[in-house]
Amino acid sequence: MRWWDLEPVLALEHALFPEDAWSAGMFWSELAHARGPQATRRYVVAEADGQIVGYAGLAAAGGLGDVQTIAVARGQWGTGLGSRLLTDLLQHATAFECDEVLLEVRVDNTRAQKLYERFGFEPIGFRRGYYQPGNVDALVMRLHVQGTET
């Protein structure tokens, strides 16, 4: 993901997450940490027919990765795009030497929960009222990353 991707990314973000969409500033802040030798973020976009149809982001620090966001346009659901985006993030979690990866997912988003479970993420707790303004709880999930032990 680069700065020139932000307009279509924000349009998709607002279409998919109308109540709790990220702001442009949030994306800019994340992208500021995604380049150079000290990078701690990985943000990618997926395109189909010249249009951005998905994006994903990972933050990494101190051996811990955190899936910040994964979004797939409704017209791409069921195509495996979410799996491809998550695979990219997990490959970079290994490159960032993360021992484990965490994420939060809305408790009412069973589609995403099933994707994460297929990748080996396990539920470890809840964050009450995490998604605002709807006051929706988040399920916290964790994956132990293989191949990071020395």
Side-chain angles (χ1 to χ4, degrees):
M1 184 184 297
R2 303 300 289 265
W3 66 267
W4 52 81
D5 296 320
L6 288 183
E7 186 177 328
V9 163
L10 284 166
L12 185 55
E13 174 80 3
H14 285 278
L16 294 171
F17 311 110
E19 288 187 1
D20 51 9
W22 281 23
S23 68
M26 293 169 77
F27 279 106
W28 276 107
S29 178
E30 290 297 298
L31 290 180
H33 299 284
R35 297 279 182 259
Q38 303 299 318
T40 59
R41 305 290 194 275
R42 168 72 175 172
Y43 277 80
V44 294
V45 295
E47 294 183 358
D49 300 321
Q51 301 291 318
I52 290 179
V53 294
Y55 56 89
L58 173 83
L64 180 63
D66 190 77
V67 174
Q68 301 288 77
T69 187
I70 293 184
V72 173
R74 286 181 179 89
Q76 295 290 315
W77 288 3
T79 66
L81 180 55
S83 292
R84 291 191 300 276
L85 289 168
L86 185 55
T87 296
D88 180 275
L89 296 185
L90 295 178
Q91 288 170 343
H92 282 82
T94 299
F96 283 133
E97 299 181 348
C98 296
D99 299 315
E100 58 185 22
V101 177
L102 298 174
L103 59 81
E104 294 89 13
V105 59
R106 290 173 63 107
V107 294
D108 58 0
N109 190 346
T110 56
R111 180 182 200 87
Q113 291 172 33
K114 289 177 183 178
L115 169 67
Y116 302 138
E117 288 170 358
R118 284 195 312 269
F119 276 77
F121 281 86
E122 298 177 337
I124 60 169
F126 293 93
R127 293 193 177 170
R128 303 286 177 212
Y130 183 79
Y131 292 98
Q132 294 296 327
N135 202 38
V136 177
D137 295 345
L139 174 65
V140 181
M141 301 181 82
R142 176 178 55 204
L143 173 70
H144 293 283
V145 179
Q146 302 299 314
T148 56
E149 297 83 21
T150 57

